Structure formats: structure tokens, C-alpha cells
Amino acid sequence: MKKLEFILNGKAVACEVDNQTTLLHLLREQLGLTGTKAGCESGDCGSCSVIVDDELIKSCQTPAYQVAGKSVVTIEGLRAADGGASDLQQAFLQHGGTQCGYCTPAMILAGEALLRKNKTPSRDEIREAINPVLCRCTGYQQIVDAIEDAARSRQSGKAFKAAPIAPAGGPLAYVGNPKAQAVDGLDKVTGKAKYVGDMKLPGMLYAKVLRSPLPHARIKKLNTGPALEIPGVKAVITSEDFVNHGNFGWPVQDAFILAYQKVRYVGDPIAVAAAESESAASKAVKAIELELEELPVVSDLHQALEESQNIIPENSGGKSNLCLTHIVRNGDPKPILAESEVKFDETFNFQHQEHAYLETEGALAVPESDGSVTIYANDQSPFINRDNAAAVLGLPKEKVRVIQPPVGGSFGGKDDIGYQNSAQAAKLALLTGRPVRLVLERRESLTASYKREGMEIRLQLGADKDGRLRAAHADLLADSGAYASMTPLSAWRATMHAAGCYRYEAATVDTHVLYTNNGYSGAFRGFGNPQACAAIEIAMDELAERLGRDPIDLRLQNILKKGDRAFTGNVMNFEVNAGRCLEWARQASDWDRKRAQFAAQPKDLEIRRGLGVACYFHGSGLGGEGTDYANASIRVEADYTITLQHGMTDYGQGSRTIFTLIAAEALGLAPERIQMLRPDTQTAVESGPTVASRATLVGGNAVRVTAQKLARTILLAAADLLGCQPEEIRRHHGHYVSPQENEATFEQAIDHAREMGLTLSTQGYWQIPKIHWDFDKGEGVPYFTYAYGAQVAEVEVNQRSGEIKVLKIWASHDAGTIVFPAGAKGQMLGGIAQGLGYALTEGFSYTNGYPDKLSLKQYAIPTALQTPEIELTYLDSIQPEGPFGAKGLAEPTMVATAPAIANAVYQASGQRLRSFPLVLQKKP
């Protein structure tokens, strides 16, 4: 051990380290500064970045002894003169520069390091400075805005201060207020937010998982005895430690907490060890005696469909590799397709996509004195997690409590694997009587976590010579991998969107969900629609070319309108604003001029430009998947603050802020008065999963109903106090005013309500209007309403190198009333950035069942320099059933990006690409 002395956040520090201690480990484990995050520990993500002598460095790659005598600044060291948030931290709050918050400390430090050297950076220089730090949520643009604004403020000599929210003019005071900030933003920009990996309890054990090195094999021998002999190891578990071998899963119960009888993909968990240290737990995993008998690997979708011998789900009762099918039956398109004057018949292929959230999956389980267990899990659906854990642990639901701490991104990816982690940690905690924390390493996460499903789509369209679409048929093959997870439901959504937002005389769809040994697949932002939209939107461009039509004109000719029937046969009962979105994108991008200009480029130019378009519709909520409801509860505390609780979760998409603003609006009170608790299965009411962009529409309506009930109670008390009727009361910024202009403050109204014996707490419920989809017949109403959007992409291609560069994107989305403007902007920017990656770099491929990419260097998500400037708008529209006119927006914003880029690449290169990610053939 060596003595190390350095300056940390302005104070002298002395400690002891060895040659292997990284600066990251020193800061987090020895000094307790958890604002510095561990995202990969290989220098790929930059979440660990700190400032050393005014230079940004990656602490996971820096030996601690190298900072001897130097000055180190972490996020905890950034403060304003008054001790509050610094100007840069406040700028991040003002501009919505934080979502999940996991990369935020590193991003702020990257900006600070830049501004210390360059007082007037350009936007390009800002992007270059933050480029070493990856962000999966924001799309970087609001981060650039924040740093640019802070730089301007410093140049003017005035410290930047985020403007406090004040009631806006107009009918809504807080919903849609441009000054609204994330309710958890301050904790994230200051590094105070505690994620699972930041939590540490006395006596806590560390867990490590033994995973399958093979894609398909029988477990012939599994001996955990040698692991228990490792010093510090307290327990080792296998599938035999769980009820019914840990069998779980929905809608298909085919998965296991730990592998049972066989392994079905590389990364399948087999056993878990808990020990006094991470190193001891790792040694224990290596000591387990495991013997596997290799089985034939099924890695091709067509092979899976035809395979009759090698049945992947046999250990969970499966009889074939066909998981299930979905259909749409709306007339008979076959004769119409045959007689159509213009035909389209092509096949599209889509690789898997990795979520790449910067916080890996984790859980911390704490055993309680009554035999129950509390689980802190960075999952997406705590109530489902609770129910699964209770079932496999053999406990009643009341004995399992799941709390969601801040979550460093999810995008649909922290469900099933989170349920496994939670049950594994909980079982070890119950066995040892000590807290157990399990956090996956990055390589482990990339191997073991589920992905967006790979898919093959064959699409057939028929149109007349004037461009009128007549018929469509689609065949979809979805690669669910080793387990079903949510793929049956995402494949259903793909089925419901396969022919796009257009009119047809007849349309049918056949979808097959298949088991393979290619990892496993589940929920991911867009939930099947990114593939469906890409196929139909590229097809529309191809039809336009064959017809000699402008792509936007052809879309507008066939776009759905209110009262039309969708290809699924249901009537569109609300306004269909896809056309309006297209018109905005056309005008904003200067479409007509640029398309003509780019078409005139010489074909042999090395570098050419192109412009492409895509539009979409996206069903709101769960739709025909099941009853779509939510609950909320609210109460007035003794100190007159309001406590709001909800069963839906926030993993960076801003639902806690949205719920707070809706409650503030309904109550007529400032949002600062409302405290939104973290999701907790013991104190919140179950509200279904936080998926399908249902938080604002469904969850928000539950908050609205609940807050309005409490507001009515307070109004009764205020009326009694002021001697008038409730309907005569006028609310004004937390005051109640009678017709005689007498006033009562909120506090006075509350005191009087208590004197009257009124209960100042309530619970509310809201459910989407009932619809029905007949899965057997393939007909009905799949969704009660839809969101709409359109995007135009401008690209530049190098025909010799094959490089594709996206220069700019214009995006329009119809989400009804925008509740939280900064958050909504961030959702669109972040969704487009994920769509950019899906289009160009993010293929997660398998070779005979083995994953090809096991680091964030190999699996490249877009960086700040690769993500273009994005011009966006939200339409001025109202969803009648939504809370204050709002509906969902987080999921669909990525849907159109990949096809818009593909269509632009075609104009630039003349190469029609139908496989994703896009790969150009190089020209000599």
C-alpha cells in the first residue's frame, strides 16, 4: 500500500492505495463520493469522468496513485458561492439537460472543464468536449444548450440562475409551463441521487452470477460445494432454491430465475454466490463445478420455424420453436394485389438492438425481522417484480416490498432481467440474514440482457396508377431468442402497425414469434413499431419512385383521416394528425427545393446529399393487450405540503414531473408544494407496467382524477369558511376568493377542513375506454387512440468510403397538450438519437448463438459528435380523453428516424437498403 496525498474538491486528502486501485474505486468505495458513476469500467462510456488539474479524465482508467499532488474535482465539488447548485448545474436544470441522470455528473464536469479553458465555445466545440461521455437519454442537444447558456452567462458577468416556475398566463398555470423543471433534477445535477450501485449497507454481501458460456446445452453437473469453501462466501443458490424451480414469465411462463435442466442462450444465469466482497463472490462463481452437454444451436428464423427436433423451450413445456402467432384479417387482399397496376413485394431485415442504458441492472435485497424482504431494484414495473419474487420465494405478496430508487435508463430493458436479479438477491438475503447487492458488470449486461427483437418483414402492397393504395399483406418473423419475455406483445404491436397510417380496401398480416438461441428479446422503446414503420415507409418511397410521385405527396394522398378505417379495420374516431406532421416537416426542411437540388447532383460525385421522409402512427397505451388502468393517491400533510404517490415508475422519461404538474394544475397550487414519492409496492397502489407511453395518458389521468377529488374537498371547506357556495369560489395562486372578494389562504382552508372533520387524503382510478381485439379472428379495435408524427432527415454519403453522416433531422409529433415542455423536448431528441443508432450503428448480432459485441466500444451508440442538430415541434392539438388534453410521446419519437434516414441515403447514393443497420456498398 502507498500513501496518497492530493486535493479533492478543494480540500487536502490523505489515504492509502495500492497499484491496482483506480481513481474511480478510490472515490466511490473508499471516499464515498458516489456522484462519480461506474458505467463500464473499460473507459468506453465516460460516466466516471472527473476533472484533474482542469483536464477531464476517465477515473476508471486512471490509477489512483497518478493523482498524487494534483487537484481532483468531482460533481460534489461544484457549488455556487452560496453553497447551492453552480451556474452550470442550474443551466442543466433549466434546459432539461438531465433525464435518467446517470451520465449527468460527468456531462456537467465535461462542460466545466471546457469552460475553464474556453470561455466562448462554439456548439461544435461543446459537442467535441462532451463527446467522451455517452448519453443514452437526451440526444445531447439540451446538454449543448445548457453549456452554451452558462458560457454566455459567465461572459456577461452575471451568474446563471434557473428561473423559478410561476403560473403561466392562459387557462393552464402549470401544465405546459415552459419554466417547469424535473422534480428530481437537482439531486441528479448535484450527484446526490442514489442509484442501486451507490447504495451500501452495514454487513452487506456482494453477489455474482455464474452464466452459461454456451448458447444451448443440458446441465449435466452443477456442484456448488467448492464455492462454499471460498473464504468469505456465505451462500450459493441454483434453481432448486426456488418454488417450481423459479419458473416465471408473462404472457408466456417459460423463463426461470436460474436455469433449470438446460441453458438456452449465452449468458443464461445458472447459479449465484453471495460473499463478503466482490472478489470473493467472483472466486466462488469460478469454483462452481459445471458440466454442460452441448445441444444443436438454432440461430436462423426460418430454421426455427421448420425445426422439429431441437426444441428450445422443452424444459418449460414447449412443443415447438413457434412461440405464438398474431393475425390481422380485414378483407381479402390477394385478388386486389394480383390485379393492382403497381405492385410492391420486398423483404426487410432488422438486427437486434441493445438498450445500452448507462446504469447496468441491479438489486439490493434487505431481509426484515418478520421474514419479509425489501428489494431496491432498478426495474421498470415494481408490482410485477413483487408478484414474481413472492411466487418463486414462496412468500405472500405482503412479505415482499419493492422500492424503485432512481434508475439510470431503461427504455423497456429492465423488466425480466430485473425480476431475475431481484429474486436472486432476495433469496440470498433471506438465506444469510444480511443485505445482498447484485449489480451486473457491463460485459455481463450486454451478454445477459434481452434486446429489441430481430425481425424479418415481407411486405406486399398494391396501388393503382394514380397512386391510390388498394391492398396490403405482411408476413413478420420475430426472433424472440431463448425466452418469450415481452416479444409476443411487441410483435403484436408490430402486427397492428405493419401497413402504416394509410387507407386500404383490404389488408392482412401474419406474424410468427419464434424461439432461437440468439440471446433473448423483449421490450424496447417503440415496441415493434420501429421495424413495422421502417418497412412500410421505405415501401412508400419505392412506390413513389415507380409512380413518378413526390414521396410526401403520395403519403398525403393515402394518409388516414378522421372517420377512415385503419388497415386493422377500426374506425379512426379522433383527429388523425399525421398529415399535419408531414406538412410541417415539408416546410421546415425546405423539402421541395432540397429534393430537387439533391436530385440534380452528378451521380459520380464522391460526396452526395439526400433528403428522406417517414411518418408514423403509434397506438396509445396497452390497447388490446389488456385492461389499461392506473391508480394514484394524494394527501395533505401536517405542514401543508402535498404528498403524491403513484404505482407507475420514472426511469428518466419524466413521469414524476408530469404527475406533479398535473396535480398542481388540478389543485391550483404551486408544484413546489407537492412531493412525489418514489414507487413503492407497500405504499402505492398497483397501476400496471410503465410501458407503451401510457404514463401521461393513463397515469396522468389517475392523478388528475385524484387531485380533483381532493380539490373538491378543500373547496367545500373554503366555501364554508367564506360563507358562499363552492361553485362561487375562485382559485388564485393558492388562495380562495369569494364573490365578495374575501380571501382564504390554502393553509386556512386546510385548517378549516380539519375542524369540519373532513379527510384530506384520497385515491383515484382511471381506465382507458374499453376496446376489444379478437386475437383469434384478427379483428376489432387495437387502440382507443393514436399518436402521430413525421420526420425528415438530411444525410451526406461518401460513396467511396461508404460513410453515412446525418446532417440534420426535422421532427414533428402530435402528443396533444404538452405537460412538461423541457421533458417532452428531451424525449423527442433522445428517441431520435436512438433511432439514429438503430439506423446506422447499433446492430446487435449473433454468430451461431454467440453475441458478437460485448463492450460499448464494439456496440457503438451515437456520440455527441455523431448526433445532428434536430429541429422539432409538437403540434397544437388536444386529446379529448387525455389529462388536460395530453397523450403519450416517449416511445414513438424514435419510430420514423431509421426509415427517414434510409430514404435519404437512397436519394444520396442510389442504393436501396432494406436491412438494418444500413451498410453502403463502396464505389471505386
Short mmCIF file of all heavy atoms in Angstrom, two decimals, residues 497 500-502 529 533 536-537 555 559 576-579 581-582 614-618 786-791 811-814 828 874 889 891-897:
data_model
loop_
_atom_site.label_atom_id
_atom_site.label_comp_id
_atom_site.label_asym_id
_atom_site.label_seq_id
_atom_site.Cartn_x
_atom_site.Cartn_y
_atom_site.Cartn_z
N HIS A 497 -49.31 -2.34 -36.69
CA HIS A 497 -48.79 -1.16 -37.39
C HIS A 497 -48.14 -1.51 -38.73
O HIS A 497 -47.56 -0.64 -39.37
CB HIS A 497 -47.77 -0.43 -36.50
CG HIS A 497 -48.36 0.18 -35.26
ND1 HIS A 497 -48.62 -0.56 -34.13
CD2 HIS A 497 -48.75 1.45 -34.96
CE1 HIS A 497 -49.14 0.24 -33.19
NE2 HIS A 497 -49.21 1.46 -33.68
N GLY A 500 -48.93 0.61 -41.81
CA GLY A 500 -48.81 2.05 -41.68
C GLY A 500 -50.11 2.80 -41.53
O GLY A 500 -51.21 2.24 -41.44
N CYS A 501 -49.96 4.13 -41.55
CA CYS A 501 -51.08 5.04 -41.27
C CYS A 501 -51.81 5.40 -42.58
O CYS A 501 -51.97 6.57 -42.91
CB CYS A 501 -50.53 6.29 -40.59
SG CYS A 501 -51.76 7.41 -39.94
N TYR A 502 -52.25 4.37 -43.31
CA TYR A 502 -52.80 4.59 -44.65
C TYR A 502 -54.12 3.84 -44.84
O TYR A 502 -54.42 2.89 -44.11
CB TYR A 502 -51.78 4.15 -45.71
CG TYR A 502 -50.46 4.86 -45.59
CD1 TYR A 502 -49.33 4.19 -45.12
CD2 TYR A 502 -50.33 6.21 -45.91
CE1 TYR A 502 -48.12 4.84 -44.98
CE2 TYR A 502 -49.13 6.87 -45.76
CZ TYR A 502 -48.02 6.19 -45.30
OH TYR A 502 -46.83 6.84 -45.16
N ASN A 529 -42.92 -1.29 -33.36
CA ASN A 529 -43.27 -0.33 -34.41
C ASN A 529 -42.06 0.19 -35.19
O ASN A 529 -42.20 0.52 -36.37
CB ASN A 529 -44.06 0.84 -33.82
CG ASN A 529 -44.85 1.61 -34.87
OD1 ASN A 529 -44.95 1.19 -36.03
ND2 ASN A 529 -45.43 2.73 -34.49
N CYS A 533 -42.69 0.30 -39.05
CA CYS A 533 -42.68 1.61 -39.70
C CYS A 533 -41.59 1.67 -40.76
O CYS A 533 -41.81 2.22 -41.85
CB CYS A 533 -42.48 2.70 -38.66
SG CYS A 533 -42.40 4.38 -39.35
N ILE A 536 -42.83 -0.20 -44.03
CA ILE A 536 -43.89 0.45 -44.82
C ILE A 536 -43.42 1.81 -45.35
O ILE A 536 -43.76 2.19 -46.47
CB ILE A 536 -45.19 0.60 -43.99
CG1 ILE A 536 -46.31 1.24 -44.83
CG2 ILE A 536 -44.98 1.40 -42.73
CD1 ILE A 536 -46.72 0.43 -46.04
N GLU A 537 -42.60 2.52 -44.59
CA GLU A 537 -42.18 3.85 -45.03
C GLU A 537 -41.14 3.79 -46.14
O GLU A 537 -41.11 4.65 -47.02
CB GLU A 537 -41.69 4.68 -43.85
CG GLU A 537 -42.81 5.12 -42.92
CD GLU A 537 -43.87 5.94 -43.66
OE1 GLU A 537 -43.53 7.01 -44.20
OE2 GLU A 537 -45.04 5.50 -43.71
N ARG A 555 -47.82 10.11 -49.77
CA ARG A 555 -48.28 9.83 -48.42
C ARG A 555 -49.54 10.62 -48.10
O ARG A 555 -50.50 10.08 -47.55
CB ARG A 555 -47.17 10.16 -47.41
CG ARG A 555 -46.03 9.14 -47.39
CD ARG A 555 -44.86 9.63 -46.55
NE ARG A 555 -43.86 8.59 -46.31
CZ ARG A 555 -42.91 8.25 -47.18
NH1 ARG A 555 -42.82 8.89 -48.34
NH2 ARG A 555 -42.04 7.29 -46.89
N ILE A 559 -52.97 9.12 -46.67
CA ILE A 559 -52.91 9.17 -45.21
C ILE A 559 -54.31 9.06 -44.61
O ILE A 559 -55.29 9.54 -45.17
CB ILE A 559 -52.21 10.47 -44.74
CG1 ILE A 559 -51.54 10.27 -43.39
CG2 ILE A 559 -53.18 11.65 -44.69
CD1 ILE A 559 -50.23 9.57 -43.47
N VAL A 576 -56.78 12.65 -36.93
CA VAL A 576 -55.56 11.98 -37.36
C VAL A 576 -54.61 13.06 -37.88
O VAL A 576 -54.85 13.63 -38.96
CB VAL A 576 -55.85 10.93 -38.44
CG1 VAL A 576 -54.54 10.27 -38.90
CG2 VAL A 576 -56.83 9.89 -37.92
N ASN A 577 -53.55 13.33 -37.15
CA ASN A 577 -52.71 14.48 -37.46
C ASN A 577 -51.39 14.11 -38.14
O ASN A 577 -50.47 14.93 -38.18
CB ASN A 577 -52.43 15.27 -36.18
CG ASN A 577 -53.66 16.05 -35.72
OD1 ASN A 577 -54.35 16.66 -36.53
ND2 ASN A 577 -53.94 16.00 -34.43
N ALA A 578 -51.33 12.91 -38.70
CA ALA A 578 -50.11 12.54 -39.43
C ALA A 578 -49.88 13.47 -40.61
O ALA A 578 -48.74 13.83 -40.93
CB ALA A 578 -50.20 11.09 -39.88
N GLY A 579 -50.96 13.85 -41.30
CA GLY A 579 -50.85 14.76 -42.43
C GLY A 579 -50.30 16.12 -42.02
O GLY A 579 -49.44 16.69 -42.71
N CYS A 581 -48.38 16.69 -39.49
CA CYS A 581 -46.97 16.50 -39.17
C CYS A 581 -46.12 16.48 -40.44
O CYS A 581 -45.02 17.06 -40.48
CB CYS A 581 -46.79 15.20 -38.39
SG CYS A 581 -47.48 15.22 -36.71
N LEU A 582 -46.61 15.82 -41.48
CA LEU A 582 -45.89 15.79 -42.75
C LEU A 582 -45.76 17.19 -43.35
O LEU A 582 -44.69 17.56 -43.86
CB LEU A 582 -46.62 14.88 -43.74
CG LEU A 582 -46.36 13.38 -43.62
CD1 LEU A 582 -47.36 12.61 -44.45
CD2 LEU A 582 -44.93 13.04 -44.05
N ALA A 614 -40.28 10.05 -43.43
CA ALA A 614 -41.08 8.94 -42.93
C ALA A 614 -42.12 9.51 -41.96
O ALA A 614 -41.86 10.51 -41.28
CB ALA A 614 -40.23 7.89 -42.23
N CYS A 615 -43.29 8.88 -41.91
CA CYS A 615 -44.31 9.28 -40.94
C CYS A 615 -44.80 8.04 -40.21
O CYS A 615 -44.50 6.91 -40.60
CB CYS A 615 -45.46 10.03 -41.61
SG CYS A 615 -46.46 9.04 -42.72
N TYR A 616 -45.57 8.24 -39.17
CA TYR A 616 -45.99 7.10 -38.36
C TYR A 616 -47.27 7.40 -37.60
O TYR A 616 -47.66 8.55 -37.40
CB TYR A 616 -44.89 6.72 -37.35
CG TYR A 616 -44.49 7.84 -36.41
CD1 TYR A 616 -45.13 8.03 -35.19
CD2 TYR A 616 -43.46 8.73 -36.74
CE1 TYR A 616 -44.75 9.05 -34.33
CE2 TYR A 616 -43.07 9.74 -35.89
CZ TYR A 616 -43.72 9.91 -34.68
OH TYR A 616 -43.36 10.92 -33.83
N PHE A 617 -47.90 6.33 -37.20
CA PHE A 617 -48.89 6.39 -36.14
C PHE A 617 -48.47 5.37 -35.09
O PHE A 617 -47.72 4.43 -35.37
CB PHE A 617 -50.32 6.21 -36.62
CG PHE A 617 -50.70 4.83 -37.11
CD1 PHE A 617 -52.05 4.46 -37.18
CD2 PHE A 617 -49.77 3.89 -37.53
CE1 PHE A 617 -52.42 3.21 -37.64
CE2 PHE A 617 -50.14 2.63 -37.99
CZ PHE A 617 -51.47 2.29 -38.03
N HIS A 618 -48.91 5.57 -33.85
CA HIS A 618 -48.48 4.70 -32.76
C HIS A 618 -49.61 4.60 -31.75
O HIS A 618 -50.03 5.60 -31.16
CB HIS A 618 -47.23 5.28 -32.10
CG HIS A 618 -46.56 4.32 -31.15
ND1 HIS A 618 -45.64 3.38 -31.56
CD2 HIS A 618 -46.67 4.16 -29.81
CE1 HIS A 618 -45.21 2.68 -30.53
NE2 HIS A 618 -45.82 3.15 -29.43
N TYR A 786 -54.38 7.17 -31.04
CA TYR A 786 -53.02 7.05 -31.56
C TYR A 786 -52.28 8.38 -31.41
O TYR A 786 -52.90 9.44 -31.35
CB TYR A 786 -53.03 6.68 -33.05
CG TYR A 786 -53.65 5.35 -33.39
CD1 TYR A 786 -55.03 5.19 -33.47
CD2 TYR A 786 -52.85 4.24 -33.64
CE1 TYR A 786 -55.59 3.97 -33.79
CE2 TYR A 786 -53.41 3.00 -33.98
CZ TYR A 786 -54.78 2.88 -34.04
OH TYR A 786 -55.34 1.66 -34.37
N ALA A 787 -50.95 8.29 -31.38
CA ALA A 787 -50.09 9.45 -31.54
C ALA A 787 -49.54 9.42 -32.97
O ALA A 787 -49.48 8.36 -33.59
CB ALA A 787 -48.94 9.42 -30.54
N TYR A 788 -49.15 10.60 -33.48
CA TYR A 788 -48.72 10.70 -34.87
C TYR A 788 -47.44 11.53 -34.96
O TYR A 788 -47.15 12.37 -34.10
CB TYR A 788 -49.81 11.35 -35.74
CG TYR A 788 -51.15 10.68 -35.61
CD1 TYR A 788 -52.09 11.14 -34.70
CD2 TYR A 788 -51.45 9.56 -36.39
CE1 TYR A 788 -53.32 10.51 -34.56
CE2 TYR A 788 -52.68 8.92 -36.25
CZ TYR A 788 -53.61 9.40 -35.34
OH TYR A 788 -54.81 8.76 -35.19
N GLY A 789 -46.71 11.33 -36.05
CA GLY A 789 -45.52 12.13 -36.25
C GLY A 789 -44.92 11.94 -37.63
O GLY A 789 -45.33 11.06 -38.40
N ALA A 790 -43.97 12.80 -37.96
CA ALA A 790 -43.25 12.71 -39.23
C ALA A 790 -41.85 13.27 -39.02
O ALA A 790 -41.65 14.18 -38.22
CB ALA A 790 -43.98 13.48 -40.33
N GLN A 791 -40.91 12.73 -39.76
CA GLN A 791 -39.53 13.20 -39.68
C GLN A 791 -38.91 13.26 -41.07
O GLN A 791 -39.22 12.43 -41.93
CB GLN A 791 -38.68 12.27 -38.79
CG GLN A 791 -39.12 12.29 -37.33
CD GLN A 791 -38.32 11.34 -36.46
OE1 GLN A 791 -37.21 10.93 -36.82
NE2 GLN A 791 -38.87 11.00 -35.30
N ALA A 811 -38.37 17.11 -37.04
CA ALA A 811 -39.33 16.16 -36.47
C ALA A 811 -40.55 16.88 -35.93
O ALA A 811 -40.44 17.89 -35.23
CB ALA A 811 -38.65 15.36 -35.35
N SER A 812 -41.70 16.31 -36.24
CA SER A 812 -42.97 16.84 -35.77
C SER A 812 -43.75 15.71 -35.12
O SER A 812 -43.78 14.59 -35.66
CB SER A 812 -43.78 17.42 -36.94
OG SER A 812 -45.06 17.81 -36.52
N HIS A 813 -44.35 15.98 -33.98
CA HIS A 813 -45.07 14.93 -33.27
C HIS A 813 -46.37 15.49 -32.70
O HIS A 813 -46.41 16.63 -32.23
CB HIS A 813 -44.21 14.36 -32.13
CG HIS A 813 -44.83 13.22 -31.41
ND1 HIS A 813 -44.90 11.95 -31.94
CD2 HIS A 813 -45.43 13.13 -30.20
CE1 HIS A 813 -45.50 11.14 -31.09
NE2 HIS A 813 -45.83 11.84 -30.02
N ASP A 814 -47.40 14.69 -32.75
CA ASP A 814 -48.70 15.06 -32.18
C ASP A 814 -48.89 14.28 -30.89
O ASP A 814 -49.14 13.07 -30.92
CB ASP A 814 -49.82 14.74 -33.16
CG ASP A 814 -51.19 14.83 -32.50
OD1 ASP A 814 -51.36 15.67 -31.61
OD2 ASP A 814 -52.09 14.04 -32.89
N MET A 828 -38.17 13.59 -27.37
CA MET A 828 -38.08 13.52 -28.82
C MET A 828 -36.61 13.47 -29.25
O MET A 828 -36.23 12.65 -30.10
CB MET A 828 -38.78 14.69 -29.49
CG MET A 828 -38.78 14.57 -31.02
SD MET A 828 -39.64 15.91 -31.90
CE MET A 828 -41.33 15.44 -31.64
N TYR A 874 -44.00 20.22 -31.56
CA TYR A 874 -45.17 19.45 -31.16
C TYR A 874 -46.40 20.19 -31.67
O TYR A 874 -46.53 21.40 -31.48
CB TYR A 874 -45.24 19.30 -29.64
CG TYR A 874 -44.27 18.26 -29.10
CD1 TYR A 874 -43.05 18.63 -28.57
CD2 TYR A 874 -44.59 16.91 -29.16
CE1 TYR A 874 -42.16 17.68 -28.09
CE2 TYR A 874 -43.71 15.96 -28.69
CZ TYR A 874 -42.50 16.34 -28.15
OH TYR A 874 -41.63 15.39 -27.69
N LEU A 889 -45.88 10.25 -25.67
CA LEU A 889 -44.90 10.72 -26.66
C LEU A 889 -43.54 10.04 -26.56
O LEU A 889 -42.76 10.08 -27.51
CB LEU A 889 -44.72 12.24 -26.54
CG LEU A 889 -44.26 12.81 -25.19
CD1 LEU A 889 -42.75 12.82 -25.05
CD2 LEU A 889 -44.78 14.23 -25.02
N GLU A 891 -42.30 6.85 -26.43
CA GLU A 891 -41.95 5.71 -27.28
C GLU A 891 -41.89 6.05 -28.77
O GLU A 891 -40.92 5.73 -29.45
CB GLU A 891 -42.95 4.58 -27.06
CG GLU A 891 -42.61 3.70 -25.90
CD GLU A 891 -43.14 2.29 -26.11
OE1 GLU A 891 -44.35 2.10 -25.97
OE2 GLU A 891 -42.33 1.42 -26.40
N PRO A 892 -42.95 6.66 -29.32
CA PRO A 892 -43.00 6.76 -30.79
C PRO A 892 -42.02 7.73 -31.41
O PRO A 892 -41.84 7.71 -32.64
CB PRO A 892 -44.44 7.21 -31.05
CG PRO A 892 -44.90 7.87 -29.80
CD PRO A 892 -44.20 7.13 -28.70
N THR A 893 -41.35 8.56 -30.62
CA THR A 893 -40.49 9.57 -31.22
C THR A 893 -39.30 8.98 -31.97
O THR A 893 -38.69 9.65 -32.79
CB THR A 893 -39.97 10.55 -30.16
OG1 THR A 893 -39.34 9.83 -29.10
CG2 THR A 893 -41.12 11.37 -29.58
N MET A 894 -38.94 7.71 -31.70
CA MET A 894 -37.82 7.10 -32.43
C MET A 894 -38.28 6.34 -33.66
O MET A 894 -37.46 5.90 -34.46
CB MET A 894 -37.04 6.16 -31.51
CG MET A 894 -37.64 4.78 -31.31
SD MET A 894 -36.42 3.58 -30.66
CE MET A 894 -35.41 3.28 -32.11
N VAL A 895 -39.59 6.18 -33.85
CA VAL A 895 -40.11 5.23 -34.83
C VAL A 895 -39.74 5.59 -36.27
O VAL A 895 -39.40 4.72 -37.07
CB VAL A 895 -41.64 5.10 -34.66
CG1 VAL A 895 -42.26 4.37 -35.83
CG2 VAL A 895 -41.96 4.37 -33.35
N ALA A 896 -39.81 6.87 -36.63
CA ALA A 896 -39.63 7.27 -38.02
C ALA A 896 -38.18 7.54 -38.41
O ALA A 896 -37.89 7.71 -39.60
CB ALA A 896 -40.48 8.51 -38.32
N THR A 897 -37.28 7.59 -37.44
CA THR A 897 -35.93 8.05 -37.73
C THR A 897 -35.19 7.13 -38.70
O THR A 897 -34.60 7.60 -39.70
CB THR A 897 -35.12 8.18 -36.43
OG1 THR A 897 -35.87 8.95 -35.48
CG2 THR A 897 -33.79 8.84 -36.68
#
